Amino acid sequence: MGYELRVERDAPLAYAELASVVSAQAGLELRGSHEAGEVVARHGDSVHHVATWSGRLVGTPGSDWQVAQLARLTDIIGARLIGEDGESYGIRNGVVEQINGSSSYEFGKLEEIIEAGPTEWSA
């Protein structure tokens, strides 16, 4: 299992709300049921896993593209994307970034990352 990023917000996220948001977003799709499912995104002719749903939304990204998709989805539903070590991820001025205390790391421009597709991180 990879590094987990969890979607958190003040009001609980209901499956119906997630389904509504995902269906309105080009390239995102919700599969499964209110008990267990996943959010996937298309790139070219392929479908790629973004997050898992089981009463809460969690992602285990393996690429900048997956982090960007999670950050975009989190932004749309008015939530926060939080890593296992308490750092947060988000989009600021069109740039996907990680913030940990007073330091930050920029993944790059959201549009460019999404366009480039899911290139797996190397170990």
Side-chain angles (χ1 to χ4, degrees):
M1 183 165 144
Y3 192 80
E4 186 176 273
L5 301 181
R6 63 189 182 281
V7 177
E8 296 181 351
R9 68 179 205 171
D10 297 333
L13 178 63
Y15 182 82
E17 182 181 2
L18 177 61
S20 175
V21 168
V22 168
S23 69
Q25 298 303 311
L28 291 177
E29 193 177 321
L30 183 58
R31 297 179 174 179
S33 70
H34 69 280
E35 295 171 356
E38 71 174 332
V39 175
V40 296
R42 294 190 175 278
H43 186 267
D45 294 333
S46 300
V47 176
H48 304 274
H49 177 82
V50 173
T52 302
W53 169 264
S54 60
R56 64 186 190 117
L57 200 54
V58 174
T60 52
S63 69
D64 289 356
W65 183 85
Q66 288 172 308
V67 172
Q69 292 287 6
L70 278 165
R72 182 171 74 108
L73 179 58
T74 302
D75 194 45
I76 292 166
I77 61 175
R80 296 172 303 280
L81 186 59
I82 308 296
E84 291 178 9
D85 297 326
E87 75 282 10
S88 63
Y89 297 77
I91 302 168
R92 186 171 48 133
N93 300 323
V95 175
V96 179
E97 67 179 357
Q98 174 196 59
I99 300 170
N100 192 358
S102 61
S103 57
S104 66
Y105 168 78
E106 292 185 353
F107 287 85
K109 293 182 180 179
L110 175 66
E111 291 177 10
E112 292 174 1
I113 294 170
I114 298 295
E115 186 178 309
T119 303
E120 294 291 318
W121 292 321
S122 58

